[in-house]
Amino acid sequence: VTVFLSTLTPKFYFALTVTSSFISGLIFVFEWWHFRKYGTSFIEQVSVSHLRPLIGGAENTPPATTSFSAGENETSRQNMPECKVWRNPLNLFRGAEYSRYMWVTGKEPLTYYDMNLSAQDHQNFFTCDTDALRPSDTVMQKAWRERNPQARIKAAYQALELNNEIISVFFPYYSCATAYVLLAEEEATTIVDAEKYFKQALKAGEMIYRKSQNCHSQSPQHEAQLRRDTNVLVYVKRRLAMCARKLGRIREAVKMMRDLMKEFPLLSMLNIHENLLEALLELQAYADVQAVLAKYDDISLPKSAAICYTAALLKARAVSERFSPETASKRGLSTAEINAVEAIHRAVEFNPHVPKYLLEMKSLVLPPEHILKRGDSEAVAYAFFHLQHWKRIEGALNLLHCTWEGTFRMIPYPLEKGHLFYPYPSCTETADRELLPTFHEVSVYPQKELPFFIHFTAGLCSFSAMLALLTHQFPELMVIFAKAVSIISVTGLAEVTWGPWGVLRSVVKWALVSLMLLGYELFHLPLQES
């Protein structure tokens, strides 16, 4: 070993340290990218998935199968816990909003998974077993399954042509309502055009609905057709109300939503009250907002970010204008301030991602068509529409900024149980990555610590780079040091006493011997004096 080491030059050590630093730097960058994109360490994942079975540590447990569900739809997906995905009650229009964003930015705002869930929703809402009896509805059945938007639009026009040839001669308003719905959603490039299509769909839908009501008791097929026609009518009226809201006719939109909720009270799972809450906040009708919350903010009903954060906003409104952290720390919190802070803590525990968007710590993107409750997708959807309402109330965002992080001191850690709600689900990150576009950085809760291999590769890269720099600046000194360390490592490895104190003693001994050899080589001192 001594003869081999004596033949090595400083260039060899410099090349060795530079190569080591470069390779470890590449590994570090890849590990960091993999962790940011997938939330796991690549080296750790490979070790668990491939090396452990080879070593013999594999467990004979079947892989867990999991599922997502959108309303009544369930799509099997592996390696994910069960997370229920809901239709976004405030989802935008594809042609008039999502497509315009893509034309301007060149970025696709919707993921394939999100659009696939919407296709399943449309097939469930707008089709039934009796569609085969009507040529236009048969065409629309195929249209909802088409992946290409232009093919869907073409099929909608084909359905209208078939319908006009057969029926419209005798019934001028008995047209294919679902065809107009598709054109309003995907072909219309402005909200005004979408509203025109929806008005035509409303005329057709009301006539078909009345006919279905008269004969729904004749057979199970007629009853299924009535359910479908009800879904179409409710969908069209809701989208018309949303068009009115977007076009500034807010009182008209509020009236349409209230009438819709009275006419179909059993369809509360569609969350029309969230549309109503947003419109009432725009009108600054806070008493009406409180009345809606009193009805839907019930312990027996599923919560949402819209309900929890709107309740917090109303309580913050009463104290936010006069709230000051310095004054509150001196005199203590009043009863109203305590109620406001508790409401904020309740909302943050339900969805901890929302404050990052309300306080503009993270940038917003267009909300997806489906959201995961308590997830980042729900936070994006809520903040996209409600940020303006928080800004309108003076001091509300300041109160949120001062108090929202206090929520995490009340939640048990690890998150085995919640404080006011059930424990925060661990599946939200994976599901949100499926729902949100790739250019959006998904918010993760609780924040994951960096894996060991990222720290290790970063340290190895830095250490190698430091050695390379020292070797370049002091080549002779570093060669002597490398030879000394190598000789001591080879000759003294067998003398190591394993254990914490034994290893420490060995390291100290090696360091002292290395210094001794360095003094001997550099200053040509006698070995015993060195």
Side-chain angles (χ1 to χ4, degrees):
V1 173
T2 306
V3 174
F4 173 75
L5 292 175
S6 63
T7 61
L8 300 179
T9 63
K11 292 182 179 180
F12 170 80
Y13 290 106
F14 179 70
L16 178 65
T17 51
V18 168
T19 305
S20 174
S21 176
F22 178 72
I23 294 176
S24 56
L26 289 179
I27 297 174
F28 167 71
V29 171
F30 178 76
E31 273 284 294
W32 178 262
W33 170 83
H34 192 276
F35 176 75
R36 293 295 297 271
K37 185 173 180 62
Y38 301 104
T40 59
S41 166
F42 176 77
I43 299 177
E44 183 179 345
Q45 186 177 358
V46 170
S47 302
V48 172
S49 303
H50 298 88
L51 298 182
R52 182 182 292 180
L54 295 177
I55 298 174
E59 299 179 359
N60 298 322
T61 56
T65 57
T66 57
S67 65
F68 285 104
S69 57
E72 299 296 326
N73 304 324
E74 293 190 354
T75 306
S76 296
R77 286 177 172 264
Q78 293 185 352
N79 301 326
M80 297 180 189
E82 183 177 355
C83 288
K84 187 170 185 179
V85 180
W86 299 74
R87 182 85 177 174
N88 183 3
L90 295 167
N91 66 305
L92 306 177
F93 295 85
R94 282 199 188 178
E97 291 171 309
Y98 288 120
S99 295
R100 291 167 68 90
Y101 176 84
M102 186 172 63
W103 296 337
V104 173
T105 64
K107 298 178 180 179
E108 179 60 62
L110 296 175
T111 63
Y112 173 77
Y113 174 63
D114 192 16
M115 291 188 290
N116 186 49
L117 289 178
S118 296
Q120 296 178 34
D121 289 341
H122 295 153
Q123 291 176 55
N124 280 347
F125 291 162
F126 304 144
T127 62
C128 65
D129 296 336
T130 61
D131 286 346
L133 303 177
R134 296 175 296 278
S136 58
D137 287 335
T138 304
V139 173
M140 288 307 300
Q141 262 192 338
K142 298 178 181 178
W144 295 121
R145 292 194 294 266
E146 285 284 351
R147 293 186 179 181
N148 187 356
Q150 296 302 321
R152 289 195 294 269
I153 294 172
K154 183 178 179 181
Y157 278 116
Q158 183 182 353
L160 290 176
E161 290 175 2
L162 288 173
N163 194 86
N164 292 334
E165 291 175 3
I166 300 172
I167 301 176
S168 62
V169 176
F170 305 99
F171 303 98
Y173 293 117
Y174 191 88
S175 187
C176 186
T178 54
Y180 287 117
V181 169
L182 193 148
L183 294 176
E185 291 287 351
E186 304 202 19
E187 192 193 39
T189 56
T190 64
I191 301 298
V192 175
D193 294 339
E195 187 180 37
K196 292 178 182 177
Y197 280 123
F198 276 122
K199 286 181 178 179
Q200 291 177 289
L202 180 62
K203 294 177 182 178
E206 286 179 335
M207 179 166 286
I208 298 172
Y209 175 72
R210 285 194 294 268
K211 182 181 179 183
S212 298
Q213 274 187 315
N214 295 331
C215 56
H216 75 278
S217 59
Q218 295 179 5
S219 66
Q221 288 77 15
H222 286 86
E223 187 174 351
Q225 185 174 340
L226 176 62
R227 284 197 300 270
R228 191 280 303 270
D229 295 337
T230 303
N231 291 336
V232 172
L233 186 62
V234 171
Y235 185 91
V236 170
K237 288 186 174 183
R238 180 183 194 165
R239 294 304 257 178
L240 277 172
M242 294 175 69
C243 287
R245 163 67 183 90
K246 292 175 184 293
L247 294 173
R249 306 194 307 270
I250 304 173
R251 296 189 183 278
E252 178 186 344
V254 168
K255 182 179 184 304
M256 294 173 68
M257 293 173 192
R258 290 188 186 277
D259 293 342
L260 187 58
M261 294 168 66
K262 290 179 182 178
E263 187 177 359
F264 302 98
L266 299 179
L267 296 179
S268 60
M269 76 286 296
L270 297 178
N271 297 324
I272 303 174
H273 58 275
E274 295 192 15
N275 299 81
L276 180 60
L277 282 174
E278 197 279 328
L280 290 173
L281 285 172
E282 181 64 22
L283 289 175
Q284 301 183 42
Y286 298 113
D288 293 335
V289 173
Q290 185 62 57
V292 175
L293 287 177
K295 181 177 181 181
Y296 289 97
D297 193 5
D298 186 83
I299 193 171
S300 62
L301 296 176
K303 297 292 182 292
S304 67
I307 289 177
C308 294
Y309 278 90
T310 302
L313 177 62
L314 292 188
K315 291 187 177 180
R317 174 176 170 266
V319 299
S320 60
E321 188 175 354
R322 300 178 302 276
F323 178 79
S324 171
E326 294 79 11
T327 306
S329 62
K330 294 178 182 178
R331 61 169 172 79
L333 296 175
S334 64
T335 304
E337 290 173 340
I338 291 176
N339 291 335
V341 171
E342 288 178 349
I344 290 176
H345 287 176
R346 172 179 179 260
V348 174
E349 181 181 351
F350 182 82
N351 193 316
H353 309 284
V354 172
K356 297 178 183 179
Y357 297 102
L358 293 181
L359 299 174
E360 299 183 82
M361 299 163 62
K362 283 179 65 69
S363 58
L364 278 171
V365 295
L366 294 187
E369 293 183 337
H370 291 81
I371 59 174
L372 180 69
K373 287 193 175 183
R374 307 188 74 179
D376 191 34
S377 52
E378 184 190 35
V380 169
Y382 173 80
F384 186 85
F385 293 99
H386 289 261
L387 176 59
Q388 57 181 330
H389 306 316
W390 280 81
K391 287 184 174 181
R392 185 179 295 122
I393 297 177
E394 184 178 356
L397 289 176
N398 178 48
L399 179 60
L400 177 68
H401 174 72
C402 295
T403 57
W404 75 280
E405 290 183 338
T407 308
F408 306 117
R409 293 192 291 268
M410 304 166 57
I411 302 175
Y413 189 86
L415 302 177
E416 297 173 352
K417 60 180 181 178
H419 179 64
L420 297 174
F421 297 98
Y422 53 88
Y424 190 82
S426 59
C427 62
T428 55
E429 179 187 357
T430 307
D432 282 330
R433 291 187 191 278
E434 294 279 351
L435 291 171
L436 293 166
T438 54
F439 57 84
H440 173 71
E441 183 181 351
V442 175
S443 175
V444 179
Y445 175 80
Q447 287 292 336
K448 293 184 178 180
E449 297 181 357
L450 291 177
F452 163 76
F453 286 105
I454 289 184
H455 292 288
F456 177 76
T457 53
L460 181 61
C461 177
S462 303
F463 181 69
S464 303
M466 181 186 67
L467 289 180
L469 180 62
L470 291 175
T471 305
H472 183 266
Q473 295 294 328
F474 312 102
E476 295 181 359
L477 179 63
M478 293 304 296
V479 168
I480 295 171
F481 180 76
K483 290 179 180 179
V485 172
S486 302
I487 293 173
I488 295 169
S489 300
V490 173
T491 57
L493 185 61
E495 301 179 5
V496 175
T497 304
W498 299 107
W501 293 109
V503 172
L504 180 61
R505 283 195 300 270
S506 300
V507 170
V508 172
K509 181 181 70 174
W510 288 357
L512 291 175
V513 175
S514 300
L515 290 175
M516 179 191 72
L517 291 178
L518 284 173
Y520 173 73
E521 292 284 347
L522 289 175
F523 305 109
H524 303 288
L525 297 175
L527 189 58
Q528 186 174 2
E529 186 177 346
S530 300

